[in-house]
Amino acid sequence: RVFANEENFMSDWKIFPKLIKNTKFTNEFIQKFASHINITFNPEKILSSIDSLKSNLEPEIEDHIEIWEARDSINIIVDTYDKWLSNIEVLRNFAISRDTVILNDIIEFFGLDTTINVTFSLSDSNAGHITLNDVQILDYPDTCILFKNIPIRINAVPKNGFQFINWTNNLNQLIASDSSTFIFDQDINMIANFEQVALDTPNILINEFLSGSENCCGSDIFNGNNEDFVELYNNGEEHINILGWGFGDRDGLISTT
């Protein structure tokens, strides 16, 4: 949220203390925060982004400094290549230490117990993914630092061609629901188990379509004559009779003539 001025900030800040009086909101906020710290702002991910940007800028940075030093030698902040490198190290150190500092701040502010390590894995790396409070885990196995005894929503999402079976863990527990609220009181390894299922592949596929040809592709192709079309593809080996099929752009009876 961007606050336009201090008055707006103070006005909106009054809302938060009231919201955290609601236990459900507080738990959601705490674990969603932890999910983003572990996944969105994962130190390795942020360091990779910083190093990538550094590599892109490095060949140009000395010329950049020289140009701006000539134009505004008084106000230039980064006036040497070494200072630029030093600033990058500040960013890297921040990325490395942020998760520990922020998680400790949350523990202190909300009077929480401590954190635990929860490792998430997939039975098949191609079968689906896992979300923590709607934040998708990107790499597996992934060990996340979560808050002990605070509910967290975990969802196992299968890809097309797979279905979720159950959760298993190193405590020999089996949970059948694909979407559940869990409360962890110790370090644990959670495995989302999937199985492959047969796909009902339709024989008739819409291969290509064009609507509004007068606004697309130019008059040199369609002459602006509303020559819209739908191209069907027979994905099977048998002939298919499409007599009686039709298209419509509104609910109700579809003309097949």
Side-chain angles (χ1 to χ4, degrees):
R1 172 71 191 271
V2 176
F3 298 98
N5 52 50
E6 183 177 352
E7 181 179 351
N8 287 346
F9 172 80
M10 295 307 296
S11 175
D12 287 348
W13 170 246
K14 294 177 182 178
I15 299 175
F16 188 72
K18 297 183 183 300
L19 288 173
I20 60 177
K21 291 181 180 180
N22 182 293
T23 302
K24 184 176 180 180
F25 172 86
T26 300
N27 291 338
E28 177 78 12
F29 173 82
I30 288 171
Q31 295 290 38
K32 185 113 177 183
F33 206 116
S35 301
H36 278 299
I37 287 294
N38 281 280
I39 302 169
T40 310
F41 300 106
N42 176 276
E44 291 184 5
K45 176 183 176 181
I46 301 302
L47 289 175
S48 177
S49 297
I50 292 172
D51 291 342
S52 176
L53 291 170
K54 175 179 178 288
S55 297
N56 290 337
L57 293 173
E58 196 160 19
E60 309 294 335
I61 198 65
E62 290 187 327
D63 288 341
H64 175 81
I65 291 171
E66 182 178 345
I67 290 172
W68 284 100
E69 190 172 33
R71 293 183 178 181
D72 192 357
S73 60
I74 296 176
N75 295 316
I76 186 170
I77 298 174
V78 180
D79 55 2
T80 67
Y81 175 73
D82 287 341
K83 186 176 289 186
W84 181 71
L85 290 178
S86 177
N87 285 349
I88 290 176
E89 284 306 304
V90 172
L91 293 176
R92 290 177 57 84
N93 290 334
F94 177 80
I96 293 171
S97 61
R98 169 170 47 186
D99 57 346
T100 301
V101 172
I102 289 183
L103 293 177
N104 286 335
D105 284 346
I106 290 180
I107 289 174
E108 181 179 354
F109 183 85
F110 289 99
L112 304 181
D113 190 349
T114 184
T115 58
I116 54 173
N117 294 322
V118 182
T119 300
F120 295 95
S121 304
L122 304 174
S123 61
D124 182 337
S125 60
N126 296 314
H129 66 263
I130 299 170
T131 63
L132 307 182
N133 279 47
D134 304 321
V135 182
Q136 181 178 336
I137 296 177
L138 304 176
D139 301 301
Y140 302 89
D142 191 12
T143 299
C144 296
I145 304 172
L146 302 176
F147 294 106
K148 181 179 179 179
N149 293 323
I150 300 295
I152 182 167
R153 291 184 293 106
I154 304 176
N155 191 18
V157 183
K159 288 183 179 179
N160 192 27
F162 292 87
Q163 68 180 9
F164 174 80
I165 306 174
N166 54 40
W167 293 98
T168 52
N169 56 43
N170 58 315
L171 303 179
N172 295 321
Q173 297 172 332
L174 186 150
I175 303 101
S177 174
D178 62 344
S179 179
S180 298
T181 298
F182 293 86
I183 299 177
F184 300 116
D185 59 2
Q186 60 183 302
D187 294 348
I188 193 170
N189 299 329
M190 296 288 292
I191 303 172
N193 298 298
F194 299 90
E195 66 179 0
Q196 197 163 7
V197 294
L199 288 175
D200 294 327
T201 304
N203 287 330
I204 295 293
L205 305 176
I206 296 178
N207 191 51
E208 184 179 1
F209 70 90
L210 175 66
S211 62
S213 59
E214 71 277 9
N215 299 318
C216 168
C217 310
S219 59
D220 55 325
I221 299 178
F222 292 102
N223 298 319
N225 292 326
N226 298 323
E227 298 180 13
D228 305 340
F229 67 83
V230 174
E231 180 179 294
L232 302 180
Y233 173 70
N234 182 359
N235 194 42
E237 297 180 357
E238 303 293 331
H239 295 294
I240 296 178
N241 184 355
I242 61 172
L243 181 66
W245 289 30
F247 290 94
D249 58 0
R250 61 179 60 88
D251 293 335
L253 184 63
I254 298 176
S255 172
T256 59
T257 59

mmCIF file of all heavy atoms in Angstrom, residues 210 212-225:
data_model
loop_
_atom_site.group_PDB
_atom_site.id
_atom_site.type_symbol
_atom_site.label_atom_id
_atom_site.label_comp_id
_atom_site.label_asym_id
_atom_site.label_seq_id
_atom_site.Cartn_x
_atom_site.Cartn_y
_atom_site.Cartn_z
ATOM 1 N N LEU A 210 -11.172 -16.896 -35.733
ATOM 2 C CA LEU A 210 -10.988 -15.456 -35.925
ATOM 3 C C LEU A 210 -12.334 -14.783 -35.819
ATOM 4 O O LEU A 210 -13.287 -15.175 -36.508
ATOM 5 C CB LEU A 210 -10.365 -15.161 -37.290
ATOM 6 C CG LEU A 210 -10.235 -13.668 -37.634
ATOM 7 C CD1 LEU A 210 -9.255 -12.982 -36.693
ATOM 8 C CD2 LEU A 210 -9.802 -13.480 -39.079
ATOM 9 N N GLY A 212 -14.224 -10.808 -35.555
ATOM 10 C CA GLY A 212 -13.980 -9.392 -35.770
ATOM 11 C C GLY A 212 -12.891 -9.155 -36.785
ATOM 12 O O GLY A 212 -11.960 -8.383 -36.547
ATOM 13 N N SER A 213 -12.976 -9.802 -37.950
ATOM 14 C CA SER A 213 -11.899 -9.701 -38.931
ATOM 15 C C SER A 213 -11.732 -8.281 -39.464
ATOM 16 O O SER A 213 -10.664 -7.928 -39.950
ATOM 17 C CB SER A 213 -12.168 -10.661 -40.092
ATOM 18 O OG SER A 213 -13.399 -10.361 -40.725
ATOM 19 N N GLU A 214 -12.804 -7.491 -39.353
ATOM 20 C CA GLU A 214 -12.686 -6.114 -39.838
ATOM 21 C C GLU A 214 -11.742 -5.286 -38.967
ATOM 22 O O GLU A 214 -11.249 -4.244 -39.390
ATOM 23 C CB GLU A 214 -14.070 -5.449 -39.897
ATOM 24 C CG GLU A 214 -14.687 -5.133 -38.533
ATOM 25 C CD GLU A 214 -15.381 -6.343 -37.925
ATOM 26 O OE1 GLU A 214 -15.244 -7.448 -38.478
ATOM 27 O OE2 GLU A 214 -16.067 -6.168 -36.906
ATOM 28 N N ASN A 215 -11.496 -5.780 -37.737
ATOM 29 C CA ASN A 215 -10.596 -5.067 -36.835
ATOM 30 C C ASN A 215 -9.250 -5.758 -36.691
ATOM 31 O O ASN A 215 -8.423 -5.366 -35.887
ATOM 32 C CB ASN A 215 -11.239 -4.957 -35.443
ATOM 33 C CG ASN A 215 -12.541 -4.185 -35.482
ATOM 34 O OD1 ASN A 215 -12.633 -3.172 -36.148
ATOM 35 N ND2 ASN A 215 -13.548 -4.685 -34.771
ATOM 36 N N CYS A 216 -9.066 -6.809 -37.452
ATOM 37 C CA CYS A 216 -7.846 -7.602 -37.304
ATOM 38 C C CYS A 216 -7.266 -7.956 -38.658
ATOM 39 O O CYS A 216 -8.002 -8.225 -39.604
ATOM 40 C CB CYS A 216 -8.143 -8.869 -36.509
ATOM 41 S SG CYS A 216 -6.810 -10.094 -36.547
ATOM 42 N N CYS A 217 -5.973 -7.937 -38.752
ATOM 43 C CA CYS A 217 -5.251 -8.518 -39.882
ATOM 44 C C CYS A 217 -5.244 -7.657 -41.137
ATOM 45 O O CYS A 217 -4.498 -7.958 -42.061
ATOM 46 C CB CYS A 217 -5.789 -9.905 -40.241
ATOM 47 S SG CYS A 217 -5.914 -11.006 -38.810
ATOM 48 N N GLY A 218 -6.076 -6.634 -41.213
ATOM 49 C CA GLY A 218 -6.005 -5.715 -42.341
ATOM 50 C C GLY A 218 -6.930 -6.075 -43.484
ATOM 51 O O GLY A 218 -7.269 -7.239 -43.714
ATOM 52 N N SER A 219 -7.344 -5.052 -44.214
ATOM 53 C CA SER A 219 -8.276 -5.248 -45.314
ATOM 54 C C SER A 219 -7.638 -5.981 -46.478
ATOM 55 O O SER A 219 -8.342 -6.524 -47.336
ATOM 56 C CB SER A 219 -8.806 -3.888 -45.791
ATOM 57 O OG SER A 219 -7.718 -3.068 -46.212
ATOM 58 N N ASP A 220 -6.292 -6.011 -46.522
ATOM 59 C CA ASP A 220 -5.624 -6.703 -47.618
ATOM 60 C C ASP A 220 -5.818 -8.211 -47.541
ATOM 61 O O ASP A 220 -5.628 -8.923 -48.529
ATOM 62 C CB ASP A 220 -4.128 -6.392 -47.611
ATOM 63 C CG ASP A 220 -3.475 -6.716 -46.271
ATOM 64 O OD1 ASP A 220 -4.152 -6.527 -45.254
ATOM 65 O OD2 ASP A 220 -2.300 -7.123 -46.261
ATOM 66 N N ILE A 221 -6.230 -8.722 -46.362
ATOM 67 C CA ILE A 221 -6.448 -10.161 -46.204
ATOM 68 C C ILE A 221 -7.931 -10.492 -46.279
ATOM 69 O O ILE A 221 -8.342 -11.404 -47.005
ATOM 70 C CB ILE A 221 -5.867 -10.660 -44.870
ATOM 71 C CG1 ILE A 221 -4.356 -10.404 -44.835
ATOM 72 C CG2 ILE A 221 -6.177 -12.135 -44.658
ATOM 73 C CD1 ILE A 221 -3.702 -10.815 -43.532
ATOM 74 N N PHE A 222 -8.762 -9.766 -45.538
ATOM 75 C CA PHE A 222 -10.178 -10.126 -45.451
ATOM 76 C C PHE A 222 -11.110 -9.091 -46.090
ATOM 77 O O PHE A 222 -12.312 -9.275 -46.101
ATOM 78 C CB PHE A 222 -10.571 -10.328 -43.987
ATOM 79 C CG PHE A 222 -9.931 -11.541 -43.364
ATOM 80 C CD1 PHE A 222 -8.848 -11.413 -42.529
ATOM 81 C CD2 PHE A 222 -10.412 -12.807 -43.651
ATOM 82 C CE1 PHE A 222 -8.246 -12.530 -41.964
ATOM 83 C CE2 PHE A 222 -9.827 -13.928 -43.097
ATOM 84 C CZ PHE A 222 -8.739 -13.803 -42.251
ATOM 85 N N ASN A 223 -10.562 -8.000 -46.583
ATOM 86 C CA ASN A 223 -11.358 -6.981 -47.268
ATOM 87 C C ASN A 223 -12.472 -6.396 -46.404
ATOM 88 O O ASN A 223 -13.427 -5.837 -46.916
ATOM 89 C CB ASN A 223 -11.981 -7.555 -48.553
ATOM 90 C CG ASN A 223 -10.922 -8.001 -49.541
ATOM 91 O OD1 ASN A 223 -9.913 -7.313 -49.715
ATOM 92 N ND2 ASN A 223 -11.126 -9.147 -50.162
ATOM 93 N N GLY A 224 -12.352 -6.577 -45.087
ATOM 94 C CA GLY A 224 -13.334 -5.996 -44.184
ATOM 95 C C GLY A 224 -14.727 -6.542 -44.358
ATOM 96 O O GLY A 224 -15.711 -5.864 -44.086
ATOM 97 N N ASN A 225 -14.865 -7.784 -44.820
ATOM 98 C CA ASN A 225 -16.180 -8.352 -45.095
ATOM 99 C C ASN A 225 -16.689 -9.245 -43.972
ATOM 100 O O ASN A 225 -17.508 -10.136 -44.209
ATOM 101 C CB ASN A 225 -16.134 -9.153 -46.406
ATOM 102 C CG ASN A 225 -15.929 -8.243 -47.611
ATOM 103 O OD1 ASN A 225 -16.421 -7.119 -47.627
ATOM 104 N ND2 ASN A 225 -15.187 -8.737 -48.606
#
